[in-house]
Amino acid sequence: MDSHVADFAAVWLTLKLATVVTILLLIIGTPIAWWLARTCSALKGVVGAVVALPLVLPPTVIGFYLLVAMGPQGPVGQFTQSLGLGLLPFSFPGLVVGSVFYSLPFVVQPIQNAFEAIGERPLEVAATLRASPWDAFWSVAVPLARPGFITGAILGFAHTVGEFGIVLMIGGNIPDKTRVVSVQIYDHVEAMEYAQAHWLAGGMVLFSFLVLMALYTFNPARRQGV
């Protein structure tokens, strides 16, 4: 495969992966963040620690255990095989699962902080107006927590784009299937193709800078120094 074609395929696959993962993270992370922000349960610390594990664990450790769990003898692997779905490792769905686990805290924590910053008063007012908890959540909590959703979505997307260890462990290095930008850069360096590596790595640096600039420019809380 031509080097430029391979680079373009890796970029396209990375953007596709990051988009799917970000959508799933917002769907999965929002109820978790809401529960963590509102609960007084003794399990809050345990759940919060589990969500934050990817912040301190090496991605290869997470990738290894996910690989075992999704392998032929693992519980997830046996379940997917019983459904006729095959195995998730070394496939795009496997990359999605691994990326969701690895990027979860980058979405949950900003949304949780935004929910906590709302306080009780707006929800109490909504309750006096006979709004159900479901209505209050969607009409009051979610709009007020919008900066947290924006931050979480941007960080989740950017973190997925920059993954290396976990995608290599779970997805391997299959062209057009699991080879993302970070792995493509590694391949170029391994092949001593520094010019191609410079182009992709420079693009990643620019992307990361634009992400940070967007966070500091368009997030009202950060602009006000909150």
Side-chain angles (χ1 to χ4, degrees):
M1 181 184 295
D2 180 77
S3 176
H4 296 296
V5 175
D7 288 349
F8 179 79
V11 170
W12 171 249
L13 184 66
T14 302
L15 294 176
K16 177 183 174 183
L17 174 66
T19 300
V20 173
V21 168
T22 301
I23 293 171
L24 290 176
L25 283 172
L26 289 173
I27 295 172
I28 297 169
T30 298
I32 296 175
W34 178 251
W35 185 83
L36 288 172
R38 304 286 298 174
T39 188
C40 295
S41 170
L43 293 176
K44 178 178 180 178
V46 175
V47 175
V50 171
V51 170
L53 271 178
L55 296 175
V56 295
L57 279 179
T60 49
V61 172
I62 301 173
F64 169 71
Y65 282 113
L66 286 176
L67 192 62
V68 171
M70 296 188 297
Q73 306 304 320
V76 178
Q78 292 181 355
F79 178 69
T80 55
Q81 288 182 96
S82 68
L83 295 177
L85 301 176
L87 296 172
L88 293 178
F90 310 109
S91 68
F92 182 79
L95 284 185
V96 171
V97 172
S99 298
V100 166
F101 271 95
Y102 191 48
S103 296
L104 189 62
F106 293 88
V107 175
V108 169
Q109 291 184 353
I111 298 176
Q112 178 187 347
N113 292 338
F115 282 147
E116 290 174 345
I118 294 173
E120 296 291 337
R121 182 63 178 168
L123 299 174
E124 291 173 352
V125 172
T128 62
L129 297 174
R130 298 184 180 179
S132 67
W134 182 256
D135 290 335
F137 174 77
W138 286 107
S139 61
V140 177
V142 170
L144 290 176
R146 186 178 64 173
F149 282 95
I150 294 173
T151 300
I154 293 174
L155 288 178
F157 188 92
H159 194 250
T160 303
V161 168
E163 289 175 18
F164 176 72
I166 198 165
V167 296
L168 191 60
M169 288 285 290
I170 295 177
N173 188 2
I174 307 173
D176 297 323
K177 191 174 181 181
T178 63
R179 183 186 291 170
V180 294
V181 168
S182 56
V183 177
Q184 182 72 359
I185 293 173
Y186 177 80
D187 284 350
H188 283 316
V189 173
E190 199 173 41
M192 306 289 286
E193 298 170 347
Y194 291 136
Q196 294 92 326
H198 272 303
W199 277 105
L200 285 178
M204 293 287 284
V205 171
L206 178 61
F207 172 77
S208 300
F209 173 76
L210 292 176
V211 166
L212 292 175
M213 189 171 68
L215 282 175
Y216 282 96
T217 302
F218 299 111
N219 190 324
R222 290 183 181 272
R223 285 205 306 266
Q224 296 167 10
V226 177

